Amino acid sequence: MTTPLRGLPMAVPEAGLPARVRIHEVGARDGLQNEKTTVPTEVKAEFVRRLADAGLTTIEATSFVHPKWVPQLADAEALFPLVADLPADLPVLVPNERGLDRALALGATRVAVFASATESFARANLNRTVDESLAMFAPVVARAKEAGGHVRGYLSMCFGDPWEGAVPVEQVVRVCRALRDLGCDELSLGDTIGVATPGHVTALLTALNEAGLPTGTLGVHFHDTYGQALANTLAALRHGVTTVDASAGGLGGCPFAKSATGNLATEDLVWMLQGLGIDTGVDLGRLVATSVWMADRLGRPSPSRTVRALSPAPSHEDTGAARDIEDRQGPRAHKEQ
Ligand code: HMG
Ligand code: MG
């Protein structure tokens, strides 16, 4: 079937998979940090608002990092108050106490620190060794928890590194345990350059379980460089993972990791999850409309296969494609099915 009924896949559940998946939307952060041009603050705020309206409940809003390192997100102070009232969790990245101070001053208590499994990327991304960066995170995690916050610990380069090549599983397990011991509430396993394959995902999750890290505390963060992100996600779901990171329209990459390309597109993820009968709370029509709108703002089409399949016209021209999709599907059409 090439034209699915009302833009949705037929739901055929697979036994053993979770009933519900929480999507951790990273488009406004991982996506926009990688744009060559800086997106105006108002456009970012509208993007976040539309993502919330599409039903996403965890939307990573921005980063309180050094503005010279990531100028695309230097407007964090201006952006956060514009979206703070949305009915969604709005985690922000903070690398150090200076970043945490900036976040707490705005009432942002859901924060994420971001470590690396490899020394090369720790140096490139944080100007620190792996252990120095863990020492930098320790007071951030402690103070965020004292403030009643929730802390996510990202770990990059879990499956491969552009400078060091293959990354041994033991190396990943060591840093994951260290993040857990600092007090992180959840971990996100990053395939920063998109080289993972499904067997590797299963092997890493199994090794982490054996090291005392329960699957319920682990999320996955795949980039789609080699087209493996959905296959890797399915492997993680079969292992019991229920938190999956994705980026609306497949925006993304990492300015400090050569060969990092876009994240798993949220639309591609939602298409697969709906087809598996897994609840996400996301309205695919509204989400596609949001990514078409954002692609229009960025002046180039979304790389997401699902966005392209559901867009009636090239998404880089403001052709009203988003409105057409909503007209065809009606608001929140999938909930009726
Ligand atoms: P540094 O140059 O070593 O900083 O950078 P420093 O600690 O030496 O401080 C130098 C100056 O910067 C000081 O000012 C600090 O106050 C100031 P001075 O005293 O000289 O006037 N400073 C700050 N100002 C504002 N906000 C701050 C801040 N921190 C220090 N937070 C630093 C170290 C960690 C700051 C820097 O390396 C940095 O900002 N790195 C962020 C890089 C980044 O955002 N990368 C992308 C996100 S990670 C990612 O994308 C991967 C992920 O998606 C998962 C995956 O795919 O794998 C999460
Ligand atoms: Mg990333």
Side-chain angles (χ1 to χ4, degrees):
M1 189 163 74
T2 54
T3 309
L5 184 65
R6 304 175 77 202
L8 294 168
M10 191 169 107
V12 183
E14 178 181 307
L17 295 186
R20 186 175 172 85
V21 159
R22 183 174 65 85
I23 298 178
H24 185 107
E25 169 60 45
V26 298
R29 193 280 305 171
D30 210 348
L32 299 186
Q33 76 179 10
N34 207 45
E35 285 302 312
K36 286 195 178 61
T37 53
T38 300
V39 174
T41 309
E42 278 298 335
V43 173
K44 289 177 182 168
E46 180 63 19
F47 184 39
V48 174
R49 272 195 289 274
R50 287 175 185 239
L51 292 169
D53 190 49
L56 288 153
T57 54
T58 308
I59 306 170
E60 211 164 84
T62 186
S63 295
F64 291 90
V65 297
H66 196 297
K68 283 194 186 138
W69 281 63
V70 185
Q72 295 91 334
L73 302 183
D75 61 350
E77 265 82 3
L79 173 70
F80 195 82
L82 298 179
V83 295
D85 62 334
L86 289 171
D89 289 333
L90 300 168
V92 295
L93 260 60
V94 294
N96 53 16
E97 286 195 270
R98 174 89 178 88
L100 182 69
D101 289 341
R102 292 172 58 201
L104 292 180
L106 296 167
T109 54
R110 282 189 91 90
V111 300
V113 295
F114 42 104
S116 170
T118 66
E119 292 296 340
S120 303
F121 188 62
R123 179 61 64 193
N125 201 38
L126 294 160
N127 200 23
R128 302 281 186 281
T129 66
V130 170
D131 287 340
E132 285 168 353
S133 49
L134 291 168
M136 179 168 74
F137 300 148
V140 174
V141 180
R143 286 183 50 212
K145 303 282 291 190
E146 274 163 32
H150 177 277
V151 184
R152 157 175 268 226
Y154 275 108
L155 187 61
S156 291
M157 305 300 174
C158 289
F159 299 92
D161 174 284
W163 298 277
E164 300 181 20
V167 178
V169 165
E170 308 76 56
Q171 205 167 308
V172 181
V173 170
R174 179 184 90 81
V175 190
C176 281
R177 289 175 85 146
L179 286 169
R180 189 268 319 266
D181 292 347
L182 288 182
C184 290
D185 297 290
E186 68 172 9
L187 302 185
S188 173
L189 307 171
D191 182 18
T192 319
I193 56 169
V195 291
T197 46
H200 196 165
V201 172
T202 305
L204 177 59
L205 289 167
T206 303
L208 289 168
N209 293 158
E210 286 166 4
L213 289 131
T215 303
T217 63
L218 304 174
V220 288
H221 179 106
F222 295 121
H223 287 253
D224 206 24
T225 320
Y226 293 89
Q228 304 296 299
L230 271 184
N232 292 334
T233 302
L234 185 57
L237 297 175
R238 286 179 175 147
H239 194 87
V241 167
T242 57
T243 299
V244 180
D245 298 3
S247 168
L251 294 168
C254 179
F256 302 102
K258 53 182 191 268
S259 72
T261 62
N263 291 73
L264 167 62
T266 314
E267 291 84 355
D268 297 6
L269 174 64
V270 170
W271 182 274
M272 181 177 81
L273 294 177
Q274 288 200 350
L276 288 164
I278 296 173
D279 182 27
T280 63
V282 173
D283 182 312
L284 185 57
R286 283 177 188 236
L287 183 59
V288 168
T290 296
S291 289
V292 171
W293 174 86
M294 195 64 208
D296 288 340
R297 308 280 90 65
L298 295 171
R300 58 184 160 71
S302 161
S304 159
R305 304 288 283 264
T306 301
V307 170
R308 282 191 263 150
L310 294 179
S311 300
S315 59
H316 59 288
E317 292 165 24
D318 194 355
T319 54
R323 287 187 300 281
D324 289 351
I325 291 167
E326 283 195 344
D327 289 349
R328 270 194 295 132
Q329 296 191 320
R332 311 216 168 243
H334 78 286
K335 294 232 161 90
E336 297 146 27
Q337 296 214 344

Coordinates of all heavy atoms in Angstrom, one line a residue, residues 22 36 79 81 85 99 113 123 147 259 335:
R22 N 8.0 6.9 25.5 CA 8.1 8.4 25.7 C 9.2 8.9 24.7 O 10.3 8.4 24.7 CB 8.5 8.7 27.2 CG 8.6 10.2 27.4 CD 8.9 10.5 28.9 NE 10.2 10.0 29.3 CZ 11.4 10.7 29.2 NH1 11.4 11.8 28.6 NH2 12.5 10.1 29.6
K36 N 23.8 26.1 10.2 CA 24.8 27.1 9.9 C 24.4 28.5 10.3 O 25.2 29.3 10.8 CB 25.1 27.0 8.4 CG 25.9 25.8 8.1 CD 26.6 25.9 6.7 CE 27.4 24.7 6.3 NZ 26.5 23.5 6.3
L79 N 15.0 32.7 25.1 CA 14.0 31.7 24.6 C 13.3 31.0 25.7 O 12.0 30.9 25.6 CB 14.8 30.6 23.8 CG 13.9 29.4 23.4 CD1 12.9 29.8 22.3 CD2 14.8 28.2 23.0
P81 N 12.0 31.7 28.7 CA 10.8 32.2 29.3 C 9.6 32.2 28.2 O 8.4 32.2 28.6 CB 11.2 33.7 29.6 CG 12.6 33.6 29.8 CD 13.1 32.6 28.8
D85 N 5.8 28.1 29.9 CA 4.4 27.8 30.4 C 3.8 26.7 29.6 O 2.6 26.3 29.9 CB 3.6 29.1 30.2 CG 3.4 29.5 28.8 OD1 4.4 29.2 28.0 OD2 2.4 30.1 28.4
G99 N 26.5 27.0 33.8 CA 25.3 26.7 33.0 C 24.1 26.4 33.9 O 23.0 26.8 33.6
V113 N 23.3 16.7 31.7 CA 24.8 16.8 31.5 C 25.1 15.9 30.4 O 24.4 15.0 30.0 CB 25.6 16.4 32.8 CG1 25.3 17.4 33.9 CG2 25.2 15.0 33.3
R123 N 37.4 15.9 24.8 CA 38.2 17.0 24.6 C 37.6 18.0 23.6 O 37.5 19.2 23.8 CB 39.6 16.5 24.1 CG 40.6 17.6 23.8 CD 41.0 18.4 25.0 NE 41.7 17.7 26.0 CZ 41.9 18.1 27.3 NH1 41.5 19.4 27.6 NH2 42.5 17.4 28.2
A147 N 17.8 21.1 44.2 CA 16.8 22.0 43.8 C 15.5 21.3 43.4 O 14.6 21.9 42.9 CB 17.3 22.9 42.7
S259 N 31.3 14.0 10.8 CA 30.5 12.9 10.3 C 29.2 12.7 11.1 O 28.5 11.7 10.8 CB 31.3 11.6 10.1 OG 31.6 11.0 11.4
K335 N -6.1 9.7 16.8 CA -6.7 9.3 18.1 C -8.0 8.6 17.9 O -8.5 7.8 18.7 CB -6.9 10.5 19.0 CG -5.6 11.2 19.4 CD -5.5 11.4 20.9 CE -4.0 11.5 21.3 NZ -3.6 12.9 21.3

